Amino acid sequence: MLDIIRSAWRITELRTRILFTLGMFIVFRLGSHVPVPGIDVAQLQEFFRGDNLFGFLNVIGGGALSNFTIFAMSITPYINASIIMQLLQVVIPKLEELAKEGDEGRKIINRYIRYLTVVLGFITATAMTFGLIRGAIINPGFLSYVTIIFSLTAGTAFLMWLGEQISEKGIGNGISLIIFAGIIASFPEGAAVMFERIRVGETSILSVLAIGLFFLALVVFIIMLTQGERRIPVQYSKRVVGRKVYGGQSTHIPLKVNQAGVIPVIFASSILMFPPTLAQFVNHPITIRIAEVLDWGSPINTILYFAFIIFFTYFYTAVQFNPVEVSQNVKKHGGFIPGLRPGRPTAEYLERIMSRVILVGAVSLAAIATLPIILQNVTDLNLIFSGTGLIIIVGVSLETVKQIESHLLVRHYQGFLK
């Protein structure tokens, strides 16, 4: 492995990309300590570090929410904007056409996502200022409100730009890596709390070891889920063009068990944050009851979380994988699945197999995300990583390693994964 790392470091372009990504991580962590002016942070810290949805947001943001810094809203408005655009592509033909136009169409859609991110960030910042943190504002007034709202909105816009710069000039998906960095940043504090509980006798070492083995098993299972695929054999017939013979080889269509990656988990988390967040802004018995029922870790919230992950896995896979289009491409190049006629029978077969594969992936993904929540409720232990955080960490790590591998393989170096 050291030889592989040395090989990667010797490639100038790859070394530059890795250093750029690490530099952006430093910028992200520095920004996570720049406070929003005019806020009494002490009044907010306990609430945002609690075992609720805001505590989950605080973990994703690397503690930026509990310290109420300019990155307090994290990248959540961008994720919500992406969800909205994905849904609109299904119902608006013009957006669907743009999505199929390749790089140029995606650039236009990404521009719409940026605009929508700023709008959602401004709305969220306004709601937080006049609702959630109003009591913590030191000098309430028009200028204070404007300063807080624009600071939070600018922080989210800067994070969005930071993520795009990492994607373009660094290694991996920038937005995913920012979330990854935020979760990893919470590890030292969580470990310190765990060691303190062991020291004072609130938690036994055996319990911590058992939790550690449980999370190790989850990591192995997540890797298997991410790497697993169902291979559909495809045979290409021979074609004679002039004096040359083309085709005749056998290959396969890889159908990944977890085609959607960590996207369904992030989407489900973002959707479930809306009702309790809105309920916090209206001081009424009904809204308070809604916030309690849908609080993070509650039975109803966990059930909805499980169901939303399955739904978004099916939805995102349907957007990314079109059996009709795949079957047409195979037919166009003279290929066929043994025992099936090209065209509609092939598309129906692919759809049937894909639905079964997705079911396994969706249920497994939902189980991984919800099991640590149930475990935390049963054992009353403050776990360092949630299932969602673990899925994001492992998924983003594998994705980044694959990108490094692609750079190594292009230059005839051996990769990490064999």
Side-chain angles (χ1 to χ4, degrees):
M1 181 154 181
L2 291 175
D3 289 337
I4 296 170
I5 294 172
R6 278 196 293 266
S7 299
W9 195 253
R10 280 198 291 264
I11 301 172
T12 305
E13 181 192 356
L14 188 54
R15 182 172 66 247
T16 302
R17 285 179 173 272
I18 293 173
L19 289 174
F20 181 85
T21 303
L22 293 175
M24 293 300 100
F25 282 169
I26 293 172
V27 172
F28 167 64
R29 291 309 301 156
L30 289 175
S32 298
H33 291 85
V34 178
V36 174
I39 298 294
D40 183 6
V41 179
Q43 293 188 28
L44 302 174
Q45 282 187 337
E46 284 303 317
F47 175 70
F48 285 137
R49 285 177 178 170
D51 187 18
N52 50 37
L53 282 172
F54 296 106
F56 174 73
L57 277 175
N58 183 54
V59 170
I60 288 180
L65 186 58
S66 62
N67 296 322
F68 212 76
T69 68
I70 57 173
F71 292 162
M73 296 193 303
S74 187
I75 206 69
T76 305
Y78 179 88
I79 296 171
N80 294 332
S82 300
I83 295 173
I84 293 171
M85 290 303 298
Q86 290 276 5
L87 294 172
L88 290 179
Q89 287 177 32
V90 179
V91 297
I92 299 178
K94 179 64 177 177
L95 291 176
E96 187 178 0
E97 291 175 9
L98 286 174
K100 294 179 179 179
E101 287 181 3
D103 290 338
E104 292 301 319
R106 280 193 291 271
K107 285 180 182 178
I108 297 173
I109 291 177
N110 287 336
R111 188 162 67 242
Y112 292 158
I113 291 175
R114 292 189 199 105
Y115 296 152
L116 188 56
T117 299
V118 175
V119 172
L120 291 179
F122 182 82
I123 293 172
T124 306
T126 303
M128 290 180 70
T129 302
F130 288 100
L132 195 62
I133 66 164
R134 190 169 186 174
I137 299 175
I138 299 173
N139 296 311
F142 177 78
L143 186 59
S144 296
Y145 295 145
V146 170
T147 302
I148 295 168
I149 291 170
F150 277 91
S151 297
L152 292 173
T153 306
T156 294
F158 181 78
L159 276 182
M160 176 180 62
W161 176 83
L162 204 66
E164 291 178 349
Q165 293 301 304
I166 294 174
S167 298
E168 182 181 349
K169 301 176 183 178
I171 287 288
N173 182 287
I175 301 300
S176 299
L177 282 171
I178 287 175
I179 299 174
F180 169 88
I183 296 172
I184 290 295
S186 65
F187 178 81
E189 183 180 356
V193 171
M194 185 71 73
F195 282 125
E196 180 63 21
R197 294 190 66 170
I198 294 174
R199 190 184 67 81
V200 299
E202 292 183 10
T203 305
S204 66
I205 296 178
L206 289 177
S207 299
V208 174
L209 290 176
I211 296 295
L213 290 174
F214 171 76
F215 274 104
L216 182 61
L218 273 186
V219 169
V220 174
F221 188 68
I222 292 169
I223 294 173
M224 292 172 60
L225 181 66
T226 305
Q227 301 291 91
E229 61 183 26
R230 168 73 184 272
R231 297 181 176 181
I232 307 298
V234 177
Q235 180 71 40
Y236 286 93
S237 56
K238 292 182 179 180
R239 293 180 298 155
V240 179
V241 181
R243 295 183 178 181
K244 294 184 177 180
V245 179
Y246 295 92
Q249 75 272 19
S250 297
T251 183
H252 64 271
I253 301 172
L255 301 181
K256 294 184 72 65
V257 177
N258 184 20
Q259 187 88 12
V262 300
I263 300 297
V265 177
I266 297 173
F267 280 10
S269 304
S270 300
I271 291 295
L272 284 174
M273 286 173 190
F274 274 118
T277 302
L278 293 176
Q280 294 283 345
F281 300 140
V282 182
N283 189 16
H284 190 275
I286 296 177
T287 58
I288 293 174
R289 180 57 181 165
I290 291 173
E292 291 174 354
V293 171
L294 295 179
D295 193 19
W296 187 257
S298 67
I300 293 179
N301 179 275
T302 305
I303 292 170
L304 288 175
Y305 190 36
F306 191 95
F308 274 135
I309 290 175
I310 294 176
F311 168 76
F312 278 115
T313 302
Y314 272 93
F315 171 77
Y316 194 79
T317 304
V319 172
Q320 296 293 318
F321 183 84
N322 188 340
V324 176
E325 186 178 336
V326 172
S327 65
Q328 289 175 350
N329 289 335
V330 171
K331 182 180 179 181
K332 187 189 302 180
H333 293 88
F336 62 92
I337 297 175
L340 292 173
R341 296 183 62 182
R344 184 176 176 181
T346 299
E348 291 176 349
Y349 175 77
L350 289 174
E351 187 174 359
R352 186 168 62 253
I353 295 298
M354 194 67 212
S355 63
R356 295 173 182 174
V357 173
I358 293 174
L359 179 62
V360 175
V363 172
S364 301
L365 196 64
I368 292 169
T370 53
L371 272 176
I373 298 175
I374 298 171
L375 182 65
Q376 183 164 334
N377 290 337
V378 172
T379 61
D380 197 31
L381 285 175
N382 186 19
L383 303 181
I384 297 176
F385 292 128
S386 65
T388 304
L390 206 60
I391 292 169
I392 293 172
I393 289 172
V394 175
V396 173
S397 299
L398 288 174
E399 182 184 350
T400 306
V401 166
K402 285 181 179 179
Q403 284 211 15
I404 296 174
E405 267 207 317
S406 66
H407 285 274
L408 290 172
L409 294 174
V410 166
R411 293 162 179 82
H412 307 292
Y413 286 104
Q414 188 179 24
F416 285 94
L417 306 175
K418 297 181 181 179

